[in-house]
């Protein structure tokens, strides 16, 4: 777990920014069981295949993997159960409108503790095609080369 500006990051979805063009981000709470929170405190979560859907005016986080708590008993949770995200009604209605308008999706970017509560950073995103991904990689490589050359000139090489 990594600590940054008042939050302790539990898990991040590193492939999300590669596979999707991020349009907007939102913060949502998440309804969890006790053993899930204990497992998250140990840092045992994966956002790799996770996605969010809107069902009957509620937002659900699906395919999020939270490992079973090691000291849990028969009360342990199912690792890949659907979990409800907690947002204000106005925000949910706004998201529903945006998702219906275009081919947008909700992707979790990271999960973290904020003041002892588990939060999920959701992104309203559009899927990238292969040529967009290649273009982004080329830009990143070019930027890195320019920075490297500037560093060499400053050092006098």
């Amino acid at each position: 777990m990594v600590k940054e500006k008042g939050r302790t990051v539990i898990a991040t979805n590193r492939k999300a920014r590669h596979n999707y063009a991020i349009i907007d981000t939102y913060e949502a709470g998440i309804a969890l069981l006790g053993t899930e929170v204990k497992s998250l405190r140990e840092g045992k979560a994966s956002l790799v295949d996770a996605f969010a859907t809107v069902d009957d005016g509620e937002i659900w986080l699906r395919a999020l993997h939270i490992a079973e708590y090691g000291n849990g008993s028969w009360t342990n949770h199912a690792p890949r159960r659907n979990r409800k995200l907690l947002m204000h009604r106005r925000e949910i209605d706004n998201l529903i409108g945006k998702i219906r308008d275009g081919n947008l999706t909700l992707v979790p970017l990271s999960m973290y503790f904020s003041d002892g509560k588990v939060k999920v950073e959701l992104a309203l995103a559009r899927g990238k095609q292969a040529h967009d991904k290649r273009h982004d990689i080329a830009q990143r490589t070019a930027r890195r080369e320019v920075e490297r050359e500037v560093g060499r000139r400053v050092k006098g090489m």
Side-chain angles (χ1 to χ4, degrees), residues 2-10 27 41 111-119:
V2 180
K3 247 187 150 136
E4 58 180 51
K5 59 180 171 172
R7 32 165 117 167
T8 306
V9 177
I10 302 164
E27 182 181 67
R41 290 207 183 279
M111 181 181 280
Y112 53 90
F113 283 106
S114 176
D115 297 328
K117 295 176 177 61
V118 179
K119 302 288 184 179

Side-chain angles (χ1 to χ4, degrees), residues 3 8-10 21 39 48 72 75 90 93 99 101-102 104 110 116 130 138:
K3 247 187 150 136
T8 306
V9 177
I10 302 164
S39 185
V48 172
T75 59
R90 195 175 334 104
D93 292 341
I99 290 171
D101 287 347
L104 301 176
S110 66

Side-chain angles (χ1 to χ4, degrees), residues 15-30:
K15 295 290 274 181
R17 295 190 190 275
H18 177 71
N19 292 332
Y20 298 95
I22 308 301
I23 296 170
D24 202 4
T25 60
Y26 298 90
E27 182 181 67
I30 183 169

Side-chain angles (χ1 to χ4, degrees), residues 99-130:
I99 290 171
R100 283 193 185 141
D101 287 347
N103 55 349
L104 301 176
T105 186
L106 288 172
V107 180
L109 296 178
S110 66
M111 181 181 280
Y112 53 90
F113 283 106
S114 176
D115 297 328
K117 295 176 177 61
V118 179
K119 302 288 184 179
V120 176
E121 184 181 17
L122 274 181
L124 187 65
R126 176 174 287 118
K128 286 185 185 176
Q129 294 183 353

Side-chain angles (χ1 to χ4, degrees), residues 147-157:
E147 288 173 4
R148 190 175 296 142
E149 188 61 33
V150 168
R152 284 185 187 141
R153 297 208 182 220
V154 169
K155 292 178 184 174
M157 297 173 95

